[in-house]
Amino acid sequence: MNMFKKILAVSAFGLAASSAYATPVLSFGNSGGDVAHSYNVGDTVSLDFWISGLDGTDGDGFGGLDFGGFDMNLSFNGAVTGYQNTAFSSDLDDSLFYGLDAHTTSSNSLNLSGVSLAWDFSGQASALKLFTLAFTAGQAGTSTIKLDDFILSDSWGAEFASNSYLAEITVNDKPASVPEPSSLGLLAGALALLLVRRRKAA
C-alpha cells in the first residue's frame, strides 16, 4: 500500500510540474505572434518556423517540457504563394530526429512531420528553428500561411499543447520601371537631333 501511495505521489508531482510550465509557442521568425510581410510578384518568400517556450529536461521525464515529435498541417493561398520546398533545421538533425518529411496535400496545403527516439533532451534549447519554408510570389494578392491543425509530443511521446501564430503575406505587382538618368539623357539627345534635322529640312 505504501508503494502505491508513493507511485501516486510521484505521478501527482509530475502532473503538477508539467502544468507549471508556460504553454510553448509556434510562430514564424520566432516572433511569438502573427507576422506580416510584403513582396513583389516573382520574389521568393522565405519563412523560418520556430517553437519556443520549452523548458528542457534532465532525462527523467520530470525536469521540464521538451520537444520530441510533430505532425502539422499548414495551409496557404497557392495562387499567391506557390510552395517551393522545405529545409529542415540543423536542430532536427539525424542523431535526434528521423523520418523528417514535408509533402503537399494539395496546391494550398502542406503536411510536415518528424519524430525522435532520443530520451535525454537535457541539452535542448528553449527555442528551436524547425524548418524554413520557401514560396514563390506568383500573383498579386494575400496569402495567410497558418497551421490548420497539429500534434506536438515530448521525448516520452506524450502530446502537449501549444499556441500557434500565422504569417500574412501580401504580394504586389512589380512597380513600373523608371528609366535611368542616362537613358533619359540619350532620349533627350535623340529628340534634339530629330528637331534639328526637321528644321534643316524645312
Side-chain angles (χ1 to χ4, degrees), residues 25-30 46-52 54 67 70 72 86-93 97 100 124-133:
V25 171
L26 294 165
S27 62
F28 291 93
N30 200 21
S46 182
L47 297 169
D48 294 336
F49 194 71
W50 287 69
I51 183 169
S52 57
L54 302 171
F67 174 72
F70 62 99
M72 305 175 176
T86 297
F88 287 99
S89 165
S90 59
D91 290 331
L92 308 182
D93 62 27
F97 282 76
L100 293 172
Q124 190 176 71
S126 61
L128 304 172
K129 184 170 81 170
L130 303 184
F131 44 78
T132 300
L133 300 170

Side-chain angles (χ1 to χ4, degrees), residues 4-87:
F4 182 68
K5 286 182 179 178
K6 286 181 180 178
I7 293 172
L8 285 179
V10 169
S11 298
F13 173 76
L15 289 173
S18 64
S19 64
Y21 297 108
T23 302
V25 171
L26 294 165
S27 62
F28 291 93
N30 200 21
S31 62
D34 296 337
V35 298
H37 300 291
S38 292
Y39 296 86
N40 292 325
V41 171
D43 289 347
T44 295
V45 179
S46 182
L47 297 169
D48 294 336
F49 194 71
W50 287 69
I51 183 169
S52 57
L54 302 171
D55 295 295
T57 180
D58 58 7
D60 64 3
F62 300 114
L65 181 61
D66 56 39
F67 174 72
F70 62 99
D71 191 345
M72 305 175 176
N73 290 310
L74 182 143
S75 64
F76 48 89
N77 183 338
V80 175
T81 50
Y83 174 69
Q84 287 185 3
N85 58 66
T86 297

Side-chain angles (χ1 to χ4, degrees), residues 126-173:
S126 61
L128 304 172
K129 184 170 81 170
L130 303 184
F131 44 78
T132 300
L133 300 170
F135 299 87
T136 298
Q139 67 180 38
T142 301
S143 178
T144 302
I145 303 175
K146 63 185 179 71
L147 289 174
D148 292 326
D149 58 80
F150 59 91
I151 297 172
L152 304 178
S153 63
D154 62 18
S155 58
W156 291 71
E159 294 181 24
F160 62 87
S162 174
N163 293 324
S164 66
Y165 295 93
L166 56 82
E168 191 83 5
I169 305 299
T170 301
V171 176
N172 304 301
D173 286 321

